[in-house]
Amino acid sequence: MTVAVQLPIATPALPRGFWRWGRPLGMTLLVLILGFLSLYPMAMLLYGSLHSTPPGVAGEFNLNGYIGLLTTENARIFLDTIVLSFVKTILAVALAILLAWIVARTDTPGRGVLEVLITLPFFIPPILTATAWAMLGNAQVGTINLAWRWLTGSDGTLVNVYSWWGVVWHMMQYSTPFMFLFIVDAFRAMDPALEESSRMSGASRWQTFWRITFGLMLPVTTSAFILSFIRGIESFESPVFFGTPAGITVITTQIYDSITQRAQPDYQSATALSFAALALMFLLLLAQSRLLGGRSFATVTGKGYSPNVTRLGWMRWVTFGICVLFFLLTVALPVGQLLLSSFFRFFGFYEAEMFTFEHYKSVWENRAFWRAFGNTMLLGVLGATATMTLGGIVAYVTTRTKWRGRRLIDALAWLPWMMPGMVLGIGFLWGFATLPHGIPIYGTLLALLLAYVALGTPVAVRVTSAAYQQIATDIEECSRVHGANWWQTLGRILVALAWPAFAVGWVLIFFGIMRELSASILLYAPGTEVLSVVMLKMWVGGKPEEVSVIGLVMLVLVVMFRWVQLKVIKKRISTL
Amino acid sequence: MLRRSVLAGIAASAVSSRAMAQADEWKRVEEAGRKEGKLVIYTASIGSPFLKATCDSFEKKYGITIERFEARASEVRERVRVEQAAGRFLGDIHHNGSTTTWLMQRDGNFQPRGDIPNVKNIVAPHAADDIKIPCEVISYCLMVNRTMVKPADEPKSWKDILDPKWTGKILSDDYRALGGGAVFFVVMQNTFGRDFHEKLAAQKPVFSRDIANSERRVARGEYPLYLPFSLQNLNNLKGLPIKPIVPAEGRPFVRFDLAVLKNAQRPNAARLFMNHYLEPDTQLLYANAGYAPVIGGVVEKTLPEIRELLKTPALGTTLPDKQDEMLALAKEIYK
């Protein structure tokens, strides 16, 4: 069955002057911006991988970093990392598609509330959920195991988070809502007439889901899959927290060892290992490009449609149950644990005499927290807006034009995502510090802002690319035929239709900035501290309860943001 | 007799005039420091309330504001290296573990500190040199869960943890990575030899690198025994059912040092801060928190429960030039 009509990608009509000067100038500017944000720090890292010493120290060029990778131990670490990330991504993508379908395409009760609740785990700092799960799922005295023993009379263990599956589970809690956010609006924007046609042609509900719904979601699903798989390879908190005690080593923990756990940091090995991982990820991107190449996935066409939903009958209570179960397991249990703990002197000690509001008072009176909160909000708003603007432009050029150099800017935008954060942070440090002193970046908020834009651009590009790919070019052509100029068409058609994706991308990047630590810890200066740095200081300083208070504040912010966002999206969609 | 008296008088006046000259010199340092008005500290002591209190008292005393850049030891080192290589001299004073400080001194990241009056109060085994001064000492011991370990079963010697009753019951910082675990490994290796570690490896200790959480896991009853426990962390755990135990042989320790960064913009304020750190009040603040002081006459003034722990012998520390060799050995034994 053909899932969509092949639509030619037309060269958009632009003002005449633009073609002569605007396009080459614009492309050059884009290449320069992206080159500075991604290629420049990566070049510093490449130098580090090929040189016996880091920049600024006498040494020699050699391949020792790469030669050192060729050991059985490293091969095993690579394989373990890939398997771990693959398993968690497969499970998370399946779950995310199911949840997105339930929320966007069915009449499941309470979908609006469920949509906000399902995404919450993504926004909680991983160290907090790790702490909560350590209390819930440890083999000895974990709440779940104690309850299990009490209920069954057994002395066995039901769950053990300090295990391979514990790492997978903890990673899934971030991957699933991340992919859900990616996918859900694409589901919502799809014309249900395609599914109805399938059903009327005799396809079963499952065949329709697999061949039509899932088929049309392929660009956004594969984008989400690859982003999540790469993030899985670069994941650090889950393996170090739950994997290290179980003897599990992955690429990031190995890099962490090379940089921070040796008397003499071995940047050459760490950067070489990162470039090897980058090569692996690049192969994945090629695979995705092959998978999607030459096919059209336009589902938003000039033809009007009503975004109605599938009536599930009694099954809607089953789908409701699935969403509630997901919420209970990934949000209610760990967040409940955090919320409860925030009112007691110590995590996990719930005696009456330990009840206190001291952690809230302490955070409220902490000047460093408020300063960091202000900096983070400023950087979050500016960074998310700048990143989405840049990402929107890059996505436009790569998906809606055939301009020369578009593949280059696509690749440049991808690069930061493929380098583990802790290594890229060093690249930024090396890059910004060695700029001429007249360029006021190093040691300022601008350094953090640029790093955040670089780190967020791949997400912005993927989110907006996937949205653009769903919008047929005939709508733009129709707009032009009716007399709208290029800018009017861009603003009133493309941006208006892709707006929900912009909103999702903005929120993803905003909260990504709020959580980012690897680059922040290396680039902040006294006075430019951000929330993640303050949280690290509190954590290391033995105040996890105060960190959980901040985590809960962040969670309230997320709920507010998501609520407003969904209200606006729904309003926009209803007026389309 | 007269001759002797005259000579004694000359000597006394020489000493006195030298002391006066030193006092004058230090006054000039104070004035210059106040004029500099600010001090930027690069520290690996993340989130320490004691460093904050020390900075607050310094600001109050001299009217010099302090800005702190806090990061992990290797991050601070890399930041300093990169900045200096790029000709950016933003930090004034460096506060880090003695191993990292030793490596950075070797790499030429510091400048001579100049005279500091309170250096004379430093006592052995700690010593200052022309570049750096010791400032506080982290001591490591054992920690047990009081509800799980009866007093009679508490380890009295480091070797007691090799008893089969502890098999699978020890939660530990990782010996194969820098930090308290590595310090413990080196000191036990130097004290008891490889045999100790091979027997401890057979006890199957569970490694975790999240120290703050590990201590609480023991407090919650996941494991009865944690090592190595940083004595100063006791402050964060008051009220929990845990108990620090310093075995008879003594405490492994690791020292923090202060040094003036190369081309510091505010060298006088840095010297004032070094001197302030060695004041009895500052050292007592740290000692009451569980850090061993580096000057004499402080342990006696500490809180009684801390005094008992700090009076135990210092067992040993790491050697910077052998650290990678030791980490490799730890990897070999604890696979």
Side-chain angles (χ1 to χ4, degrees), chain A residues 69-232:
Chain A
L69 296 180
L70 305 173
T71 64
T72 319
E73 189 198 356
N74 281 328
R76 189 183 54 75
I77 290 170
F78 253 86
L79 189 65
D80 286 352
T81 309
I82 291 167
V83 171
L84 190 74
S85 184
F86 188 74
V87 170
K88 87 81 200 174
T89 309
I90 286 283
L91 293 173
V93 81
L95 195 53
I97 287 173
L98 177 65
L99 294 171
W101 176 73
I102 290 171
V103 166
R105 309 292 301 166
T106 72
D107 62 343
T108 300
R111 291 176 296 141
V113 178
L114 287 174
E115 181 168 354
V116 175
L117 298 181
I118 284 169
T119 55
L120 287 184
F122 176 77
F123 302 101
I124 311 169
I127 195 79
L128 285 179
T129 50
T131 304
W133 274 104
M135 286 190 278
L136 288 164
N138 73 74
Q140 292 83 1
V141 292
T143 315
I144 294 171
N145 287 314
L146 290 178
W148 169 254
R149 286 169 201 151
W150 181 74
L151 283 170
T152 62
S154 122
D155 57 356
T157 299
L158 182 66
V159 292
N160 179 13
V161 287
Y162 293 98
S163 64
W164 194 86
W165 283 107
V167 178
V168 170
W169 169 243
H170 191 245
M171 285 161 82
M172 270 182 70
Q173 285 178 65
Y174 290 88
S175 292
T176 308
F178 174 77
M179 286 195 273
F180 172 86
L181 279 164
F182 237 84
I183 294 166
V184 71
D185 280 318
F187 265 101
R188 215 180 339 245
M190 200 181 81
D191 185 353
L194 298 164
E195 288 166 315
E196 284 159 15
S197 304
S198 165
R199 293 283 287 149
M200 285 174 72
S201 304
S204 69
R205 199 166 274 173
W206 169 248
Q207 282 173 321
T208 301
F209 174 80
W210 182 246
R211 292 186 183 173
I212 304 297
T213 317
F214 181 74
L216 286 170
M217 293 300 115
L218 213 51
V220 73
T221 310
T222 53
S223 283
F225 181 94
I226 286 175
L227 280 170
S228 179
F229 181 74
I230 291 172
R231 267 289 166 253

Side-chain angles (χ1 to χ4, degrees), chain B residues 129-193:
Chain B
D129 61 21
D130 292 344
I131 299 287
K132 60 184 185 292
I133 64 160
C135 51
E136 80 256 24
V137 179
I138 295 172
S139 300
Y140 294 103
C141 61
L142 294 167
M143 184 182 92
V144 294
N145 180 310
R146 278 191 282 113
T147 57
M148 299 172 82
V149 182
K150 292 175 199 155
D153 293 332
E154 288 172 2
K156 307 285 186 292
S157 157
W158 286 106
K159 284 187 171 179
D160 289 347
I161 61 174
L162 304 179
D163 190 306
K165 73 180 177 189
W166 298 109
T167 305
K169 293 181 178 172
I170 301 171
L171 185 64
S172 180
D173 189 16
D174 201 333
Y175 316 144
R176 300 161 299 185
L178 280 190
V183 176
F184 166 81
F185 179 87
V186 171
V187 175
M188 293 301 122
Q189 174 72 18
N190 292 340
T191 309
F192 302 118

Side-chain angles (χ1 to χ4, degrees), chain A residues 54-57 131 134-135 138 140-141 162 241 244-245 256-257 259-265 267 345-347 349 354 429-430 432-433 435-437 442 521-526 537 539-542 544-545, chain B residues 40 46-47 67-72 74-75 77-79 81-83 85-88 90 103 106 174 177-178 206-210 212-213 216-217 219-223 236-241 323-324 327:
Chain A
V57 181
T131 304
M135 286 190 278
N138 73 74
Q140 292 83 1
V141 292
Y162 293 98
F241 211 92
T244 303
Y256 182 72
D257 271 1
I259 296 174
T260 66
Q261 304 293 302
R262 294 182 191 176
Q264 188 73 27
Y267 291 107
R345 273 186 65 205
F346 298 103
F347 268 139
F349 290 86
M354 290 220 183
L429 175 68
W430 289 350
F432 292 160
L435 284 171
H437 293 196
Y442 186 77
I521 191 77
L522 286 164
L523 293 175
Y524 92 90
K537 288 180 187 178
W539 187 268
V540 177
E545 293 80 8
Chain B
V40 179
I46 300 176
E67 290 180 348
R68 293 193 302 273
F69 169 73
E70 299 177 15
R72 288 164 283 219
S74 61
E75 289 162 347
R77 183 183 173 199
E78 184 57 11
R79 175 106 170 202
R81 191 198 65 73
V82 168
E83 285 182 357
R88 297 174 190 272
L90 306 179
L103 290 163
R106 185 197 64 187
D174 201 333
L178 280 190
V206 175
F207 293 131
S208 170
R209 294 188 191 169
D210 187 359
N213 194 46
R216 283 154 193 256
R217 288 174 71 187
R220 286 195 294 266
E222 277 186 59
Y223 291 89
N236 298 325
L237 305 170
K238 276 178 185 163
L240 290 179
Q323 199 135 45
D324 279 335
L327 289 173

Side-chain angles (χ1 to χ4, degrees), chain A residues 210-487:
Chain A
W210 182 246
R211 292 186 183 173
I212 304 297
T213 317
F214 181 74
L216 286 170
M217 293 300 115
L218 213 51
V220 73
T221 310
T222 53
S223 283
F225 181 94
I226 286 175
L227 280 170
S228 179
F229 181 74
I230 291 172
R231 267 289 166 253
I233 287 176
E234 294 173 1
S235 173
F236 177 67
E237 288 95 345
S238 308
V240 83
F241 211 92
F242 297 120
T244 303
I248 296 163
T249 305
V250 294
I251 290 172
T252 47
T253 50
Q254 188 77 347
I255 290 170
Y256 182 72
D257 271 1
S258 301
I259 296 174
T260 66
Q261 304 293 302
R262 294 182 191 176
Q264 188 73 27
D266 188 353
Y267 291 107
Q268 192 175 19
S269 290
T271 47
L273 187 56
S274 305
F275 275 104
L278 185 142
L280 173 81
M281 295 170 203
F282 188 70
L283 290 176
L284 264 173
L285 287 181
L286 282 181
Q288 188 209 19
S289 177
R290 291 241 164 153
L291 183 69
L292 302 181
R295 294 164 70 185
S296 169
F297 299 87
T299 59
V300 180
T301 64
K303 198 177 119 206
Y305 73 92
S306 158
N308 62 352
V309 295
T310 306
R311 309 268 164 215
L312 291 177
W314 62 270
M315 282 286 285
R316 67 201 182 109
W317 292 106
V318 176
T319 51
F320 177 74
I322 291 170
C323 293
V324 169
L325 186 65
F326 179 81
F327 169 72
L328 285 176
L329 286 176
T330 62
V331 182
L333 270 179
V335 172
Q337 189 92 42
L338 292 177
L339 185 65
L340 189 65
S341 298
S342 69
F343 291 108
F344 288 85
R345 273 186 65 205
F346 298 103
F347 268 139
F349 290 86
Y350 306 128
E351 288 118 33
E353 64 268 23
M354 290 220 183
F355 186 85
T356 181
F357 288 107
E358 190 54 40
H359 307 309
Y360 286 87
K361 186 169 171 275
S362 185
V363 169
W364 180 257
E365 291 172 353
N366 187 334
R367 277 187 304 157
F369 163 74
W370 288 110
R371 186 164 68 173
F373 187 79
N375 286 339
T376 309
M377 287 296 126
L378 179 69
L379 287 167
V381 171
L382 290 178
T385 308
T387 309
M388 284 312 297
T389 307
L390 181 63
I393 294 168
V394 170
Y396 181 85
V397 172
T398 53
T399 61
R400 310 297 284 188
T401 76
K402 292 202 165 197
W403 297 349
R404 192 176 292 171
R406 67 186 190 283
R407 286 185 196 280
L408 173 68
I409 65 162
D410 195 30
L412 287 176
W414 255 109
L415 278 177
W417 193 266
M418 293 192 282
M419 188 56 79
M422 71 182 81
V423 178
L424 196 58
I426 291 165
F428 285 125
L429 175 68
W430 289 350
F432 292 160
T434 49
L435 284 171
H437 293 196
I439 301 174
I441 291 178
Y442 186 77
T444 66
L445 279 174
L446 188 57
L448 290 162
L449 181 67
L450 291 170
Y452 295 155
V453 171
L455 291 166
T457 301
V459 176
V461 173
R462 288 309 107 181
V463 169
T464 41
S465 293
Y468 290 162
Q469 278 171 332
Q470 284 197 312
I471 300 168
T473 48
D474 62 349
I475 311 179
E476 285 176 84
E477 284 158 8
C478 188
S479 163
R480 296 282 297 151
V481 166
H482 284 83
N485 64 29
W486 183 81
W487 291 107

Side-chain angles (χ1 to χ4, degrees), chain A residues 42-63:
Chain A
M42 297 283 268
M44 301 299 282
L45 293 172
L46 184 64
Y47 172 92
S49 76
L50 294 169
H51 202 260
S52 59
T53 54
V57 181
E60 57 177 19
F61 282 100
N62 61 42
L63 292 171

